Amino acid sequence: MKKIRILCVLLVSIMIITSCGVSNKTILRYQKLEEGVQNPTTVEELKEAIEKYSERAADIQLANGQVGIWYKILGTRYLDNKMYGEALKAFEEALKYYPDNQNLYYYVGVCAGYMSHAALDFNATGSTEQKFNYLKLAEDAYLRALQIDDRYTRCMYALGVLYVFELDEPAKAIPYLEKLLTIDTKHIDAMFVLARAYYSTFEFDKAVQMYDKIIATSKSEETKANAEANKKIALEAAYAN
């Protein structure tokens, strides 16, 4: 219980300090008063000061880590409730504590993608800048996640969907989706998006082959029927060219 109380006090202190913009000198003064360490000079005093500040550094590190985790949990709660704007803010805060967490970047991408759909031109100016900015944020987030984990299939799929259906850059989607299917060979949704990317880049034969793969892989009659219908369209386009 004592450790929990100390942790809570530390969390509150960190939030107050960061929100109020307290200077480093002020923080050091607080630490000196609390730890009883002023200006150590002797060997014994220096050793005691190092020990006390080392313990405090460990406590602050633990507190910071917990704050980051709580922001991530808060973001996922907002995401579950489809409050994408608030979720995006929470994940942004979480990244300040865990800047190398690929999952956080994935969630940022997901939220930004949804927010792009809500970025309406309420002033009727004809501008799509806000929508485009959200889409580029999603792209940057997914790419950053893949820099951290180059086998992150969820990000590969999300990036493929983004390029094919949102940014109209299907050629960029192809290498990510092809790599995804070397990792998860039965990812039907990725196959459909890749086939669409092939079709959109006039690689009709590859699109037909991908639809054949879907038909051979899927156990769903509805999925097979959709693949057959799309295959027919791709074949017609191939014959026309």
Side-chain angles (χ1 to χ4, degrees):
M1 290 300 293
K2 182 179 179 181
K3 289 184 177 179
I4 293 173
R5 286 197 297 271
I6 292 172
L7 179 58
C8 291
V9 171
L10 282 170
L11 288 172
V12 173
S13 300
I14 290 169
M15 290 179 180
I16 292 172
I17 288 169
T18 54
S19 63
C20 297
V22 179
S23 68
N24 289 337
K25 290 183 179 179
T26 303
I27 295 171
L28 288 172
R29 187 163 63 250
Y30 289 155
Q31 289 178 335
K32 288 177 181 179
L33 289 172
E34 186 170 341
E35 301 293 353
V37 177
Q38 294 298 324
N39 295 303
T41 55
T42 68
V43 172
E44 290 74 16
E45 288 174 342
L46 287 166
K47 286 183 177 179
E48 182 183 9
I50 289 170
E51 182 179 355
K52 287 183 176 180
Y53 275 103
S54 294
E55 291 175 357
R56 174 51 54 87
D59 288 340
I60 291 175
Q61 182 182 20
L62 175 63
N64 276 333
Q66 189 61 59
V67 171
I69 291 170
W70 285 341
Y71 270 122
K72 180 181 178 181
I73 294 172
L74 179 62
T76 56
R77 293 291 184 274
Y78 279 134
L79 190 58
D80 290 342
N81 287 286
K82 300 182 179 181
M83 300 173 66
Y84 303 115
E86 293 302 317
L88 186 58
K89 294 175 186 176
F91 291 130
E92 181 181 0
E93 290 298 320
L95 279 170
K96 294 177 182 178
Y97 298 91
Y98 295 104
D100 292 322
N101 187 302
Q102 66 271 27
N103 295 315
L104 290 175
Y105 288 104
Y106 170 76
Y107 289 132
V108 167
V110 170
C111 292
Y114 278 113
M115 289 304 294
S116 72
H117 298 155
L120 301 178
D121 181 20
F122 289 103
N123 294 322
T125 63
S127 173
T128 59
E129 182 179 2
Q130 188 179 25
K131 178 178 180 178
F132 180 75
N133 288 342
Y134 275 122
L135 291 175
K136 294 303 289 183
L137 173 59
E139 179 188 19
D140 289 345
Y142 292 141
L143 290 173
R144 177 67 182 120
L146 287 172
Q147 286 178 349
I148 299 169
D149 180 0
D150 63 358
R151 293 177 62 82
Y152 196 173
T153 55
R154 282 203 301 177
C155 259
M156 293 177 195
Y157 176 70
L159 200 54
V161 171
L162 183 70
Y163 282 137
V164 173
F165 297 107
E166 299 289 354
L167 291 173
D168 194 23
E169 297 179 299
K172 288 186 177 182
I174 291 173
Y176 294 104
L177 293 169
E178 288 179 338
K179 182 174 181 178
L180 187 163
L181 289 171
T182 65
I183 300 170
D184 185 353
T185 58
K186 296 183 179 181
H187 197 307
I188 300 295
D189 290 338
M191 292 180 195
F192 269 110
V193 179
L194 180 55
R196 175 64 177 269
Y198 284 144
Y199 180 88
S200 300
T201 54
F202 308 103
E203 296 185 81
F204 303 120
D205 290 341
K206 287 186 176 181
V208 170
Q209 292 171 11
M210 189 54 56
Y211 288 126
D212 281 337
K213 186 174 182 180
I214 294 170
I215 294 166
T217 303
S218 178
K219 295 181 180 179
S220 167
E221 293 303 321
E222 182 180 358
T223 298
K224 290 182 178 181
N226 288 335
E228 287 282 7
N230 288 332
K231 176 185 174 181
K232 182 179 179 181
I233 295 171
L235 282 170
E236 291 173 353
Y239 293 147
N241 286 272

